Structure formats: structure tokens, C-alpha cells
Amino acid sequence: MTEKTAPRIGNEERAGRLEALRGRMAEAGVDAVVLTPGANLRYVTGLAWGATERLVCAIVRPERLVFVAPRFEASSLVASVPVPFDDARYWEEHENPHALVATLLADLGTGTVALDPNCAFGHADALVAAATAARWRSAHDLIAPLRAQKSAAELALMRAAKQITLEVHRTVFEQLEPGTRSSEVRTEIDRLHRAAGADDGSTFCAVQFGPATAHPHGIPGDPALQPGELVLIDTGCALEGYNSDITRTYALDEVDARIERLWDLEKQAQAAAFAAARPGVPCEALDAVARSVLEEHGLGPDYALPGLPHRLGHGIGLEIHEGPYLVRGDETPLAPGMCFSNEPMIVVPDKFGVRLEDHFHITDNGAAWFTEPQHSLYAPFG
């Protein structure tokens, strides 16, 4: 499946999101929500706009949806917002946009205004200073639960994005040979993502060989693959803003028996966490399950190395990393539609690291993989 055949998020679904947000606003006694460029604004309105020093925002009221933007961007705004909205107010370059927002909120008096939790501090500070009468709070608890449980269309977009990335991994594995530089692999991965219809090539790409695999997100440099070295590639793309994120660790030649043993253990930990995933289970429980598998074999404990240096996984959707998280302390109950990475990486400092990362979503009865886990160390695709 490619971008051309993947389902789209339509305005009917976005209208449902807006009404759901308004329902949560009413329950929480919130009079207005201010959303700034980023995943939350895109989720509610479909506007995919980059954040800059110039304030752009949407003000969600129980009865109105109003956009604020620079006047010279008016035509772009109208062309870029797919949903119907009630009004747009524009500011000139010499004017204060935060004061304009305060004017639009003035009728609320001391009402409660919830601000996008991803709003840059500079804008947040200026908005609070401009609208001094309002009671400001975060909108996180209003919108995060809505985004956490994906719709069928969202799941389909992520499935399509992840299938693209899995095929990119497969192609690169077939091309890789000793002497290939990591920069060459990254360039090829970006080309393949673009050719398959991803939004804008690779959203990220880490290519690590040999000892560099012991660093979870790599280290600077452009090494060439040496015979007998372990390969770790972590990359992803997006379709309509919905992300993939898949890691494969493999070897082209026979490697040390300890690497083979820990690769098998990594796969066991990943499988155990997946088997434990079902509605109602706290997110943190899956992290504990994976970590217990490793600790039973002498790794850790906790984040100690050799062992697992980070959380088991993260939520994914319009952001590559988004809540809730599979980590100790996150007691959020798993619920149908939630999507997570499952990546219990094993790190042996200064030697090597093994990370297998696939994603799953919660169903009514348990969990379902978006992509099948890696087959084996030497035959990653079977």
C-alpha cells in the first residue's frame, strides 16, 4: 500500500474530533482552547503548519472555530485548512498577535483557557501576559486521550507507512555489503521512502555498524561496514503525518555466540511484552514484563548495563514519540486503538547493542502487530 491508496482522514472524522474536544471542554469547565502549529492543531483541524516566531493558532470555543495568522499568510491559510471554520483574524507584521488573541478572548473575562501543551514557551508566555484576566491551563488532558485511541483510518495510515518502511528495510538488507558507508545507506533509505510515496522521505534514520550499535541513537561519524560487524538500522517515514518507526538488527556474516544469545533474548523480551498487552493492563506493566525476561538472564536490573537502558516503548501517531508510554510510572490502562513501539533494546557497553522494534495496536481482545517481528539474526526477513 502506498500514499496513493492509503485512506485519508476526512472532514467528517475531523468534525467528530472537534465535537469530542468540545465535549471534554464542557466536562472540564474550559471556555476556550488555543492550539498552535503541531500535531494537536493538525489532529483537530487538519492544518499541517510549521511553528515559527510568527504566531498562528486556532481558538476553539463551544460555538466557534477561529484562526489567527499573519495577514500576508491569509491566502495560504484558507487554502491549507481543510475543515470549515467560522472566522479568521489577521495581524500585520508591526502588530502584536498575542494582543489580538487576548482581544478575541476578552469576552470570557476570568474564564478558563487551555493552551496547547506543545506551544513554544515564547508564545505561551506572551499569550498569558496579554490575556491577564483569563485563567490559563494546559490542554493536555483534553486532547491527549482523544489522540491516544486511533480510529480505523488512522490505523490504516500507520499500517501503510510501516509497510513502506519494512520494505525499505528489506531492500537495504539485500543491497548491503562490506565497505558500504553509513551515509550511503541513509541516502538510499531516504530515496526509497520517497519513491514509495512517503510524505517527505525519511523522517529520521540511524545506521550503526559494529561497536556503534551499543549507542541507542548512534554516534557521529560515517564508518564503512566491516566484515563480521553487526548492523542496526532504525528509520521511519510518514503518510498524511502518521508515522512509522522500525528497527532491525542483523548480521551478514557469522558473529560471536554472545551476540547470537542476546539477539535471541531480545526477541523473547519483545514477544513477552506483546503477549501481555490487552485492554485494561497498565502501560507500565509491559515494561516490567520485558525487563523481567532480561533480568532472569542476568541483565540489568532496571536500567543498569548490560541491559535495557530506556523504556520499553512509546506511543506513536502524528508524532513519532507521543503518550502514553510503556514505562514505569505510566499507569494509563491500555485501550483499543492505542499504538506503541515494542523495543526492549539490549546494550553491552563499548561492545554492541541489539534493538528489535516493531509496533502494535491494542484490540478488543489483546494486541495486533502492524509489522511482523524480525525472523532471525541472519535471515531478518525469513
Side-chain angles (χ1 to χ4, degrees):
M1 180 179 288
T2 68
E3 185 270 341
K4 295 181 176 62
T5 58
R8 303 273 182 168
I9 304 298
N11 280 351
E12 183 176 351
E13 181 163 336
R14 293 191 183 99
R17 296 172 178 180
L18 181 59
E19 288 310 303
L21 175 58
R22 284 172 167 154
R24 295 184 68 86
M25 289 167 59
E27 292 172 1
V30 171
D31 300 293
V33 171
V34 178
L35 299 175
T36 51
N40 292 324
L41 181 63
R42 185 169 189 174
Y43 178 80
V44 174
T45 72
L47 178 61
W49 200 286
T52 72
E53 81 284 3
R54 293 184 173 100
L55 180 67
V56 173
C57 67
I59 302 174
V60 180
R61 299 281 293 270
E63 74 293 344
R64 292 172 64 76
L65 174 62
V66 178
F67 281 88
V68 173
R71 184 170 296 280
F72 75 90
E73 296 278 30
S75 58
S76 295
L77 181 78
V78 172
S80 301
V81 179
V83 298
F85 55 94
D86 299 290
D87 194 9
R89 298 292 298 275
Y90 302 110
W91 52 275
E92 300 289 4
E93 287 279 78
H94 67 284
E95 295 177 325
N96 183 338
H98 308 95
L100 174 56
V101 172
T103 299
L104 295 172
L105 298 174
D107 66 299
L108 294 178
T110 59
T112 300
V113 180
L115 180 60
D116 192 328
N118 293 332
C119 179
F121 177 81
H123 286 311
D125 188 53
L127 286 168
V128 172
T132 55
R135 296 191 302 271
W136 289 90
R137 53 158 287 185
S138 171
H140 174 79
D141 63 314
L142 301 178
I143 195 167
L146 301 178
R147 287 183 50 199
Q149 291 183 256
K150 273 62 176 181
S151 68
E154 290 177 292
L155 293 175
L157 278 166
M158 284 197 287
R159 188 174 296 109
K162 295 172 198 300
Q163 191 59 44
I164 286 175
T165 295
L166 187 63
E167 291 305 313
V168 168
H169 269 289
R170 187 194 309 271
T171 299
V172 168
F173 169 71
E174 294 169 351
Q175 296 175 349
L176 199 58
E177 59 185 17
T180 304
R181 292 200 170 275
S182 61
S183 61
E184 295 174 318
V185 181
R186 291 193 299 271
T187 298
E188 177 66 358
I189 287 173
D190 183 71
R191 185 191 71 80
L192 290 168
H193 271 137
R194 291 177 187 276
D199 286 351
D200 191 24
S202 301
T203 49
F204 68 96
C205 186
V207 178
Q208 298 150 244
F209 302 145
T213 61
H215 302 270
H217 289 150
I219 53 176
D222 187 22
L225 177 62
Q226 302 302 310
E229 283 192 325
L230 200 61
V231 176
L232 189 157
I233 299 177
D234 182 1
T235 189
C237 70
L239 285 179
E240 293 231 334
Y242 286 88
N243 287 278
S244 65
D245 178 8
I246 300 174
T247 306
R248 291 290 179 260
T249 303
Y250 51 79
L252 303 181
D253 309 298
E254 187 173 349
V255 294
D256 184 87
R258 188 186 188 194
I259 295 177
E260 294 178 338
R261 180 175 67 85
L262 291 185
W263 191 98
D264 289 340
L265 186 57
E266 166 81 358
K267 189 171 175 67
Q268 290 177 39
Q270 187 190 47
F274 176 79
R278 60 186 182 277
V281 172
C283 284
E284 66 177 0
L286 271 61
D287 181 272
V289 166
R291 215 169 287 278
S292 67
V293 172
L294 303 183
E295 291 174 2
E296 286 172 7
H297 291 80
L299 300 177
D302 296 326
Y303 302 104
L305 301 181
L308 171 54
H310 54 63
R311 65 194 174 206
L312 170 68
H314 55 82
I316 190 168
L318 284 170
E319 294 173 285
I320 299 172
H321 290 191
E322 62 181 42
Y325 297 92
L326 304 181
V327 66
R328 183 187 308 161
D330 193 329
E331 299 178 353
T332 306
L334 298 177
M338 288 183 175
C339 304
F340 299 96
S341 71
N342 184 349
E343 46 180 318
M345 184 177 191
I346 297 173
V347 170
V348 180
D350 303 319
K351 300 294 185 181
F352 64 90
V354 178
R355 181 165 68 246
L356 304 178
E357 179 185 10
D358 294 275
H359 292 234
F360 64 87
H361 61 94
I362 301 299
T363 69
D364 291 337
N365 303 311
W369 290 113
F370 282 106
T371 51
E372 286 298 316
Q374 185 171 331
H375 182 262
S376 70
L377 174 62
Y378 299 112
F381 301 97

